[in-house]
Amino acid sequence: MKSDIILSGVGGQGILSIAAIIAEAALKEGLFIKQAEVHGMSQRGGDVHSNLRVSSNPIYSDLITPGCADVIISLEPMEALRYLPYLSPEGWIITNTVPFQNIPNYPEPEALLKKLQELPHVVLLDIDAIAKEQDTPRAANMVLLGAAADMIGIAYDKLEMGIEWIFGRKGDDVVAMNKRALKAGWEAAKKQKQEKNGK
């Protein structure tokens, strides 16, 4: 298997926690992994992204070249579009629809969503609303990970194990909350894809 994943968002949204969980899950499956991340703008609101390459064969570069990403997972719609040139023709975008308007000339949100809706393989979800419905507002990033679970090529139970490894030291309640958020995202994405396919 091979899965080249771009994770994107802004500082404070938990992008790097998603990367850590996917990486741990990949290791649990005995896969090779390489990661490169940019988080120079560590304060809230700065661009954060990570290249995550997972494969059953050795990987020699940690960077994803344009046109080769299998999945773009984004907690912010403008950031999803920023990395569109890296997406392969058959690749998927899974993104939050709620904008984080951190710059004065932020594009019109409706225009962003329209552009995203025109793409052939996209899951658009109000991640924040789903997290609140599950009483897990601080785990919106796990909702997003759950929404992307079927597209990243790693078994769902291994992602749950990754959550246990990352959040275990914070206690059982935190682990359970994050797993609940993961499942809610997985179910919401599955429902949206079924509705698009008319099933």
Side-chain angles (χ1 to χ4, degrees), residues 27-47:
L27 292 173
K28 298 283 186 197
E29 287 217 332
L31 299 170
F32 294 93
I33 184 161
K34 291 268 187 183
Q35 180 182 359
E37 58 193 44
V38 174
H39 51 98
M41 298 292 284
S42 58
Q43 73 274 23
R44 291 183 179 272
D47 170 35

Side-chain angles (χ1 to χ4, degrees), residues 5 7 15-20 23 34-41 47-52 62-63 83:
I5 305 163
L7 304 167
I15 285 295
L16 300 181
S17 292
I18 294 176
K34 291 268 187 183
Q35 180 182 359
E37 58 193 44
V38 174
H39 51 98
M41 298 292 284
D47 170 35
V48 176
H49 75 271
S50 179
N51 282 210
L52 202 55
D62 53 8
L63 296 177
Y83 297 99

Side-chain angles (χ1 to χ4, degrees), residues 3 5 22 71 73 94 123 142-157 159-160 182-183 185-187 189-190 193:
S3 189
I5 305 163
I22 294 174
V71 189
I73 303 172
I94 298 90
V123 173
M142 293 300 101
V143 174
L144 183 69
L145 176 58
D150 285 347
M151 278 74 89
I152 60 177
I154 296 174
Y156 186 89
D157 67 313
L159 293 174
E160 288 187 313
L182 184 81
K183 185 177 181 183
W186 179 77
E187 290 176 342
K190 185 177 180 181
K193 285 187 287 183

